[in-house]
Amino acid sequence: AEEGFSIAVVEAQSRLGGRLFTVDGHDLGGQWISPAHTQMHDLVKKLSLKTFQQYDEGNSVLDLGPQIERYEGETPKIGLIGLMDLQVQVFWKLDSLRMQVPVDAPWDHPRAEEWDSVTVEDWKRKNMWSSESKRLFDLIVAMLLGCHARELSLLFFLH
């Protein structure tokens, strides 16, 4: 720091790193950027940083504990009940709620205060019934947002 200036690191979590987070050897958070992340690619170029190709061929590994499963393709193999649970509760119901939230002013939604006081974990426990789909949902939340469902308000998640 230059003379006369002090630096303070302010972090909302109990650890440094923001969305960059590794748990039990699994990267959860900002470990990759997709072609759709154009602003991030612009920043990488501006800072003269390098990226590397993400390996995405062959088998994938899904660790839902207690079992570890290998699968091919984009979609992990889970049971019929788990698939139905994900389709109905997550893809249909959550997407329907998401479409109701104004992008520019989520706080204007009639249920904003209610949804902001409920965590995604609370919603999951109330609406999902399959333990397999709940574990997969937790993994998806952690991978995409770098945190746990218990750390997100439903309103933030829907927005």
Side-chain angles (χ1 to χ4, degrees):
E2 292 183 33
E3 188 173 328
F5 291 93
S6 61
I7 297 173
V9 177
V10 180
E11 178 62 60
Q13 302 291 328
S14 60
R15 58 174 179 73
L16 294 176
R19 289 187 59 193
L20 300 176
F21 190 40
T22 302
V23 176
D24 298 327
H26 301 285
D27 289 330
L28 308 175
Q31 72 273 18
W32 56 269
I33 57 176
S34 81
H37 297 139
T38 56
Q39 291 179 332
M40 186 58 84
H41 283 284
D42 291 345
L43 181 60
V44 166
K45 186 176 181 177
K46 179 180 178 181
L47 297 174
S48 300
L49 299 174
K50 294 180 182 178
T51 61
F52 58 91
Q53 281 301 113
Q54 179 173 331
Y55 182 78
D56 62 357
E57 295 178 12
N59 288 336
S60 296
V61 178
L62 178 62
D63 181 358
L64 291 179
Q67 74 273 11
I68 295 176
E69 186 176 326
R70 292 181 185 275
Y71 64 95
E72 289 187 43
E74 295 182 9
T75 307
K77 310 279 188 278
I78 65 172
L80 181 59
I81 299 296
L83 282 174
M84 288 173 43
D85 196 15
L86 283 172
Q87 182 66 47
V88 172
Q89 300 303 335
V90 178
F91 300 126
W92 289 348
K93 188 181 275 185
L94 272 180
D95 199 48
S96 173
L97 295 176
R98 181 187 62 79
M99 297 297 288
Q100 299 173 28
V101 177
V103 174
D104 295 333
W107 49 86
D108 285 344
H109 189 279
R111 296 180 67 186
E113 189 173 338
E114 172 193 349
W115 288 347
D116 205 35
S117 67
V118 173
T119 68
V120 175
E121 178 72 21
D122 296 332
W123 181 90
K124 178 189 79 175
R125 288 182 181 180
K126 183 178 178 183
N127 290 279
M128 297 178 75
W129 60 85
S130 160
S131 60
E132 187 177 39
S133 64
K134 288 178 185 179
R135 288 193 305 268
L136 184 56
F137 181 74
D138 286 341
L139 182 63
I140 292 167
V141 168
M143 286 188 327
L144 294 178
L145 299 172
C147 61
H148 301 285
R150 67 178 179 270
E151 300 173 304
L152 296 168
S153 81
L154 182 60
L155 182 63
F156 175 84
F157 188 74
L158 294 173
H159 178 250

